[in-house]
Amino acid sequence: TKLINLYLWLTMLWISLMYRIFYLQGQQVLLEETYGLDRVSQVLVLTEIIMDPFFRTFDGLTLLFKSNLSAMV
């Protein structure tokens, strides 16, 4: 199961990096989860951390997690 979890996280990282490339080129990106695992929010949080230096600060991470946790409730 550790190998599967590592694979899932590497897949999410790859999707986040591809999202950033498309975003920087001015293209729109649609993320959709078909297996019901709700990984879309995880990918979006990871992408925000990669793309925006503000979200790499304590205040930025706090805001990011609060906004995503409140969206899940």
Side-chain angles (χ1 to χ4, degrees), residues 24-60:
L24 291 176
Q25 292 176 354
Q27 299 178 13
Q28 295 180 355
V29 178
L30 172 68
L31 296 176
E32 180 181 26
E33 175 63 54
T34 57
Y35 298 108
L37 299 174
D38 198 27
R39 299 223 192 276
V40 172
S41 61
Q42 295 172 357
V43 169
L44 291 176
V45 167
L46 185 59
T47 303
E48 289 289 341
I49 292 170
I50 291 171
M51 291 178 63
D52 192 343
F54 170 72
F55 290 116
R56 292 182 224 144
T57 65
F58 181 77
D59 291 336

Side-chain angles (χ1 to χ4, degrees), residues 1 3 5 9-10 13 18 20 26 33 35-36 39-40 42-43 46 48 51 53 64-66 68 71:
T1 59
L3 185 60
N5 287 336
W9 277 105
L10 289 175
L13 180 62
M18 293 307 297
R20 178 181 177 160
E33 175 63 54
Y35 298 108
R39 299 223 192 276
V40 172
Q42 295 172 357
V43 169
L46 185 59
E48 289 289 341
M51 291 178 63
L64 190 61
F65 289 127
K66 281 183 180 179
N68 281 288

Side-chain angles (χ1 to χ4, degrees), residues 12-27:
M12 289 191 327
L13 180 62
W14 174 254
I15 292 169
S16 296
L17 292 173
M18 293 307 297
Y19 181 89
R20 178 181 177 160
I21 291 169
F22 288 130
Y23 179 82
L24 291 176
Q25 292 176 354
Q27 299 178 13

